[in-house]
Amino acid sequence: MDNFLAARSQMALSLGFHIIFSCIGMVMPFFMAVAHYYYLKTDKIVYKNITKAWSKGVAIFFATGAVSGTVLSFELGLLWPKFMEHAGPIFGMPFSLEGTAFFIEAIALGFFLYGWDRFNKWFHWFTGVIVGISGLASGILVVAANAWMNSPAGFDFVDGQYINVDPIKAMFNKAWFSQSLHMSIAAFAATGFAVAGVHALMIIRRQNVYFHTKSFTIAAIFGCVAAVLQPLSGDISAKDVAKRQPAKLAAMEAHFFTEKSAGLVVGGIPDTENKKVGYGIKIPGLLSFMAHGDFSSEVKGLDQFPEKDQPSVPITHYAFQIMVGLGMAMMGISFLYFLALWKKKKWLQSDWLLKLFVAATPLGFLAVEAGWTVTEVGRQPWIIYNVMRTADAVTPMPGIGYSFYMFTIMYFSLAAIVIFMLYRQIKMVPKLYDLPEGAQD
């Protein structure tokens, strides 16, 4: 494995693991805060038990997210020194602010975990809210830095020099809002479905049913609302990509030739040699409408870009199709759940609906991984879009392949430890949580 491929693989591996830890870490505190609020308002012990159980999960993912995030920050400098040499002073502000948000999150989490019966009850609840807000802010700030790589701003690039640096303009680049919105909603959808799926499984097994039913309801509502909103943020992102990164859009849709009234391809197998898509369903004019709001507008194809400047079509296209397909599946389940809440109350007690949530447990995170693949692979061959190529930023240091193998072992070991710890938490739910409904009330 050459240095370039090893460096990209290690970065992809690190991001792939960190994004799961960070999504859960930035969303679960909001679930925890809602359960805590219900406890304070109703004085039902079940909500206190849910809050305490979820707070342990928040602590686990905060720790693992901190470790994996620290590794990523070092990797940026070690694997991509040329990139950090020039880009660091420009987009360093969101990383600095993210460090501040992380610091606040750590303090607030400490207050919350050890504040039971020590603080005023509403101040204690407020510290939990701060954990969620600061965690969400951390995520948005990191995404803003990534958005800068897709839409560089805040500097002038003249004769190979980066001058007139404006960190504020760099942070609030043209891509930051659409990417942050899409990623934040995706985190709520993925975490909501994952947590709801775990509690649904426990209900099906008839274990601590009352406790898990209340937990399921909170998580499912968060996840389903996010899943319904996600296509709206996806539309905003798609229109933004069509303007700023037309080559990425063309790769996402395997759109080889520029044309008006361009059709949207659903599924299909891209044939890059013959420049066509096989076995796909093409909906006439829909790509033009989704990209530009007009069924007859022109959409640039890959024929408008030199081959050396084109991203990998198969990887980008398949990842995009997976992301959209999984998102649609989650939205379908969400509509069924809302219908059950509104009209079909009996469905809420049925195993088939719970089994749908169990089956959907990993879908959100698979969609998140696919979405990040679209974002990162679709930007290639640029590490800073249209400014610096990824190949020009990689370290010349030999032996990166060995580093990749070592980090692969480390991350899979970390994942195994996290899964074991969560499994123990689920299995060790105190017997108190299985008291009859009246006793928990």
Side-chain angles (χ1 to χ4, degrees):
M1 183 180 291
D2 63 49
N3 257 17
F4 181 53
L5 179 59
R8 287 191 64 190
S9 298
Q10 183 172 324
M11 204 71 193
L13 177 77
S14 301
L15 278 168
F17 275 92
H18 178 69
I19 198 169
I20 295 175
F21 301 146
S22 59
C23 281
I24 298 174
M26 65 193 260
V27 170
M28 275 294 292
F30 289 102
F31 298 4
M32 180 181 75
V34 169
H36 194 187
Y37 177 81
Y38 281 147
Y39 167 62
L40 295 178
K41 294 297 288 185
T42 66
D43 206 32
K44 291 183 177 181
I45 193 66
V46 66
Y47 290 117
K48 181 179 182 180
N49 293 337
I50 293 170
T51 305
K52 286 193 170 185
W54 279 349
S55 68
K56 293 174 183 177
V58 169
I60 291 170
F61 282 104
F62 176 82
T64 52
V67 171
S68 58
T70 302
V71 170
L72 270 172
S73 63
F74 280 115
E75 284 179 338
L76 279 172
L78 293 173
L79 299 179
W80 313 102
K82 288 292 182 183
F83 167 70
M84 290 304 294
E85 176 186 350
H86 299 291
I90 304 171
F91 82 145
M93 179 171 284
F95 279 127
S96 300
L97 294 176
E98 191 273 337
T100 303
F102 176 80
F103 181 67
I104 294 171
E105 182 183 7
I107 295 173
L109 181 59
F111 279 0
F112 185 82
L113 292 175
Y114 298 102
W116 290 98
D117 303 321
R118 290 182 175 87
F119 297 141
N120 171 276
K121 65 179 183 179
W122 287 107
F123 175 76
H124 183 219
W125 171 80
F126 181 68
T127 61
V129 175
I130 292 298
V131 174
I133 292 173
S134 54
L136 184 61
S138 293
I140 290 173
L141 288 164
V142 170
V143 173
N146 178 267
W148 178 84
M149 297 163 69
N150 287 299
S151 181
F155 66 98
D156 293 321
F157 188 61
V158 181
D159 297 328
Q161 299 296 315
Y162 298 78
I163 61 174
N164 301 325
V165 173
D166 184 344
I168 299 296
K169 190 175 180 180
M171 184 167 68
F172 295 108
N173 55 80
K174 292 181 179 179
W176 85 269
F177 175 75
S178 61
Q179 279 197 212
S180 297
L181 178 66
H182 196 57
M183 184 63 232
S184 298
I185 296 176
F188 275 93
T191 305
F193 269 82
V195 174
V198 171
H199 289 294
L201 180 62
M202 295 299 105
I203 296 169
I204 292 171
R205 292 179 175 178
R206 305 295 184 258
Q207 296 180 9
N208 307 335
V209 173
Y210 188 60
F211 169 86
H212 288 295
T213 298
K214 295 296 185 183
S215 304
F216 169 82
T217 301
I218 295 172
I221 288 176
F222 267 106
C224 290
V225 169
V228 171
L229 293 176
Q230 188 68 318
L232 300 177
S233 71
D235 181 65
I236 294 171
S237 294
K239 285 180 167 59
D240 181 60
V241 168
K243 292 178 182 177
R244 296 183 299 95
Q245 294 177 298
K248 178 186 284 187
L249 179 70
M252 288 160 56
E253 285 295 328
H255 185 60
F256 291 102
F257 300 103
T258 302
E259 61 179 332
K260 293 183 178 180
S261 299
L264 181 76
V265 175
V266 179
I269 300 174
D271 181 349
T272 54
E273 186 176 340
N274 297 306
K275 302 190 183 306
K276 62 180 182 180
V277 181
Y279 309 104
I281 301 172
K282 195 168 188 177
I283 306 173
L286 190 55
L287 180 59
S288 291
F289 177 77
M290 293 182 70
H292 303 295
D294 181 356
F295 284 101
S296 61
S297 64
E298 182 179 270
V299 179
K300 287 185 178 181
L302 290 164
D303 59 338
Q304 296 292 304
F305 308 95
E307 193 168 327
K308 63 183 179 67
D309 293 341
Q310 296 178 13
S312 169
V313 176
I315 294 175
T316 309
H317 178 73
Y318 292 141
F320 180 67
Q321 296 293 315
I322 290 170
M323 178 187 71
V324 173
L326 295 177
M328 291 297 102
M330 292 165 65
M331 188 171 69
I333 295 172
S334 300
F335 283 132
L336 286 174
Y337 183 66
F338 289 138
L339 181 60
L341 288 174
W342 180 40
K343 287 283 189 181
K344 305 287 186 179
K345 300 290 186 182
K346 290 183 179 179
W347 289 3
L348 298 174
Q349 310 301 323
S350 61
D351 280 0
W352 69 265
L353 184 60
L354 293 171
K355 286 178 180 177
L356 280 178
F357 276 94
V358 172
T361 300
L363 297 190
F365 288 112
L366 292 174
V368 167
E369 298 286 7
W372 270 100
T373 300
V374 172
T375 300
E376 297 303 293
V377 176
R379 188 181 62 244
Q380 300 306 314
W382 308 98
I383 192 168
I384 306 175
Y385 189 63
N386 282 338
V387 176
M388 178 184 286
R389 290 180 177 271
T390 310
D392 296 333
V394 71
T395 178
M397 182 179 70
I400 299 300
Y402 297 108
S403 173
F404 167 64
Y405 300 136
M406 181 186 70
F407 273 85
T408 300
I409 295 171
M410 182 189 76
Y411 272 111
F412 277 98
S413 300
L414 181 62
I417 292 169
V418 171
I419 291 170
F420 173 73
M421 292 176 69
L422 292 175
Y423 177 77
R424 268 187 41 172
Q425 283 299 121
I426 294 169
K427 295 296 287 184
M428 292 177 63
V429 173
K431 292 297 182 182
L432 173 64
Y433 298 0
D434 200 25
L435 288 174
E437 181 173 334
Q440 295 212 45
D441 287 345

